[in-house]
């Protein structure tokens, strides 16, 4: 319970942080609670925006109990395919 609450504090800090400071905060949150869906989804979205598709997909693959992970993983795959076929 305490680890989950601490993880939520890190997520809140990440949401208010500058972009370059947010990733370590999300990773810290997931270190305290690996099942914290909000941290997992927010970080995966950030990876998608940064075109770090493989990292986002890897983050979402281990998604036991994550409600939004499957659809975001599909979106990451589509974005990656679009990027590869358009720019490479």
């Amino acid at each position: 319970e305490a680890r989950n609450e601490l993880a939520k504090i890190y997520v809140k800090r990440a949401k208010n942080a500058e972009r370059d400071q947010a990733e370590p905060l999300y990773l810290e949150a997931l270190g305290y609670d690996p099942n914290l869906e909000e941290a997992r989804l927010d970080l995966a979205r950030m990876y998608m925006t940064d075109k770090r598709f493989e990292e986002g997909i890897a983050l979402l693959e281990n998604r036991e109990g994550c409600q939004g992970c499957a659809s975001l993983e599909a979106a990451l795959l589509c974005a990656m395919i679009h990027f590869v076929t358009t720019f490479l």
Side-chain angles (χ1 to χ4, degrees):
E1 181 68 30
R3 293 181 66 81
N4 177 266
E5 291 304 314
L6 190 54
K8 288 178 182 179
I9 290 169
Y10 276 97
V11 168
K12 186 175 181 177
R13 288 181 59 200
K15 287 180 181 287
N16 295 318
E18 294 294 324
R19 187 164 185 77
D20 63 331
Q21 298 171 347
E23 181 180 9
L25 294 169
Y26 282 124
L27 292 171
E28 190 75 26
L30 289 169
Y32 284 107
D33 185 353
N35 297 318
L36 187 60
E37 186 172 325
E38 184 177 14
R40 186 172 302 279
L41 294 173
D42 286 353
L43 183 55
R45 284 187 200 99
M46 192 171 88
Y47 286 157
M48 184 166 66
T49 301
D50 293 344
K51 296 176 182 55
R52 294 167 60 186
F53 304 114
E54 291 177 5
E55 291 172 85
I57 291 167
L59 183 65
L60 297 173
E61 283 178 339
N62 187 10
R63 61 177 182 253
E64 183 178 327
C66 181
Q67 298 298 313
C69 286
S71 60
L72 185 54
E73 184 178 9
L76 272 159
L77 286 167
C78 289
M80 182 173 71
I81 291 167
H82 174 72
F83 180 79
V84 168
T85 59
T86 303
F87 298 106
L88 299 180

